[in-house]
């Protein structure tokens, strides 16, 4: 069983427009080729011809029992109608969580403006995911995406289930401490590389992730994610295979933690 908690169907080749259905077909084929049982599709903080809205993605995946949606939330561009829509989707179970993009947008995770969103996530018992670490775009401001800022949020909202995306890379040790200290904080290993791992970088990241587990204990807090299509699924599975962990611990990372955290009914897969 493999659950990928971090995929997108955005079009990152912005010199041409690719349809939502084409992107969805490509994701489904990649999942089939790599024996991925279930994926979460994360929508963006912005909506345009290259980045479908949460509403578009929710509608598009209705025929798929092996896909779920995490709704991207914008700090700069949302209004009361968006809040009502997200609340409705949470109540109907159409979305599995909320995703925030500090670094790409200029805010810290404990910004009071998102208090209502966090309270909704607690009420409906869904996780909130945060972009963390390096930004794919050079226009990002990484002071906002340092994983240390998640600590404030975790302390202020102890019932809120929080996921630090990309293990805060390159600040993996800081992420390690926030995860170790706060029982309501998780991390995913997505987006560590563009495309495929090189042998040298794979060895480097192997050491970093193994050290994190040594420090923070059994990886009940760690989630498998790729950031596909930015990172390749096949290369990520090879990376997982290289980790010096027992099969039991790998199973926690590959699917058990995600199934519990996002309430994924694996009997339907």
């Amino acid at each position: 069983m493999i659950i990928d908690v971090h995929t997108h169907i955005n079009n990152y080749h912005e010199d041409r427009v690719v349809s939502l259905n084409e992107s969805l077909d490509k994701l489904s084929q990649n999942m089939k080729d790599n024996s991925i049982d279930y994926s979460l599709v994360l929508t963006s903080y912005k909506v345009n011809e290259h980045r479908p809205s949460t509403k578009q993605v929710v509608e598009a995946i209705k025929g798929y029992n092996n896909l779920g949606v995490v709704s991207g939330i914008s700090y700069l561009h949302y209004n009361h109608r968006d809040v009502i829509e997200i609340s409705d989707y949470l109540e109907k179970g159409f979305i599995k969580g909320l995703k925030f993009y500090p670094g790409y947008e200029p805010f810290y995770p404990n910004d009071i403006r998102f208090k209502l969103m966090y309270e909704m996530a607690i009420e409906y018992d869904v996780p909130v995911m945060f972009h963390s670490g390096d930004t794919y775009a050079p226009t990002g401001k990484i002071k906002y995406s340092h994983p240390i800022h998640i600590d404030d949020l975790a302390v202020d909202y102890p019932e809120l289930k929080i996921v630090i995306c990309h293990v805060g890379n390159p600040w993996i040790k800081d992420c390690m401490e926030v995860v170790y200290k706060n029982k309501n904080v998780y991390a995913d290993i997505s987006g560590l590389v563009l495309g495929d791992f090189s042998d040298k970088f794979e060895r480097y990241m192997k050491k970093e992730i193994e050290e994190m587990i040594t420090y923070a204990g059994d990886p009940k807090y760690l989630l498998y994610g790729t950031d596909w299509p930015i990172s390749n699924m096949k290369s990520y599975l090879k990376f997982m295979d290289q980790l010096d962990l027992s099969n039991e611990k790998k199973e926690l990372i590959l699917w058990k933690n995600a199934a519990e955290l996002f309430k994924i009914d694996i009997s339907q897969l």
Side-chain angles (χ1 to χ4, degrees):
M1 176 73 65
I2 302 172
I3 295 174
D4 188 334
V5 303
H6 200 128
T7 71
H8 301 278
I9 48 177
N10 300 330
N11 173 28
Y12 294 106
H13 302 286
E14 298 196 355
D15 56 326
R16 64 184 188 277
V17 178
V18 178
S19 73
L20 174 56
N21 286 336
E22 189 177 342
S23 296
L24 201 52
D25 288 344
K26 190 174 180 183
L27 170 60
S28 296
Q29 189 61 51
N30 270 264
M31 289 173 64
K32 184 178 179 181
D33 291 345
N34 293 281
S35 300
I36 308 300
D37 297 276
Y38 188 97
S39 290
L40 289 171
V41 177
L42 280 53
T43 65
S44 181
Y45 60 99
K46 59 183 178 180
V47 177
N48 55 36
E49 61 182 344
H50 300 288
R51 295 170 185 251
S53 68
T54 295
K55 183 176 183 179
Q56 288 173 302
V57 177
V58 165
E59 290 298 318
I61 72 155
K62 280 188 174 176
Y64 296 82
N65 68 345
N66 62 344
L67 295 176
V69 180
V70 172
S71 178
I73 307 294
S74 174
Y75 178 77
L76 297 174
H77 307 109
Y78 79 93
N79 57 37
H80 69 283
R81 293 183 184 86
D82 298 312
V83 176
I84 292 168
E85 181 180 80
I86 293 302
S87 175
D88 184 52
Y89 286 168
L90 286 169
E91 187 157 349
K92 291 176 179 175
F94 289 169
I95 55 178
K96 292 283 190 180
L98 308 178
K99 169 76 184 290
F100 302 86
Y101 290 84
Y104 290 102
E105 292 189 312
F107 70 94
Y108 293 107
N110 67 336
D111 195 302
I112 191 67
R113 188 172 174 184
F114 278 141
K115 183 175 187 290
L116 177 60
M117 292 288 188
Y118 300 152
E119 289 174 346
M120 285 199 301
I122 292 169
E123 179 181 351
Y124 291 103
D125 194 25
V126 300
V128 293
M129 304 177 75
F130 287 88
H131 171 80
S132 187
D134 182 40
T135 54
Y136 181 67
T139 53
K141 297 179 178 180
I142 58 175
K143 70 176 182 180
Y144 296 108
S145 57
H146 196 294
I148 202 74
H149 300 304
I150 296 294
D151 182 60
D152 280 11
L153 189 66
V155 172
D156 292 344
Y157 296 88
E159 295 177 82
L160 186 64
K161 296 172 181 176
I162 303 167
V163 179
I164 300 175
C165 298
H166 322 306
V167 286
N169 183 45
W171 301 295
I172 295 177
K173 283 185 170 56
D174 299 276
C175 173
M176 184 167 74
E177 169 58 19
V178 176
V179 166
Y180 172 71
K181 173 181 175 287
N182 299 288
K183 302 307 179 189
N184 56 330
V185 180
Y186 303 75
D188 79 30
I189 62 170
S190 69
L192 300 178
V193 64
L194 298 178
D196 294 326
F197 283 93
S198 67
D199 290 342
K200 185 175 182 180
F201 192 67
E202 185 177 67
R203 288 194 299 272
Y204 168 76
M205 274 299 168
K206 175 181 183 295
K207 181 173 179 288
E208 291 284 312
I209 299 300
E210 288 172 355
E211 284 184 356
M212 181 178 187
I213 293 168
T214 299
Y215 180 85
D218 280 353
K220 295 180 179 179
Y221 50 84
L222 207 54
L223 307 165
Y224 179 76
T226 58
D227 214 6
W228 184 91
I230 293 171
S231 304
N232 291 340
M233 290 185 177
K234 184 177 181 180
S235 187
Y236 245 85
L237 289 170
K238 178 176 175 288
F239 171 70
M240 274 298 300
D241 193 51
Q242 302 295 318
L243 293 178
D244 186 17
L245 298 172
S246 68
N247 287 335
E248 289 77 14
K249 290 182 180 179
K250 285 184 180 179
E251 279 201 331
L252 287 174
I253 300 169
L254 283 170
W255 71 273
K256 285 186 175 179
N257 295 337
E260 181 178 354
L261 181 62
F262 290 96
K263 299 189 182 69
I264 298 165
D265 184 358
I266 61 171
S267 68
Q268 300 299 313
L269 303 178

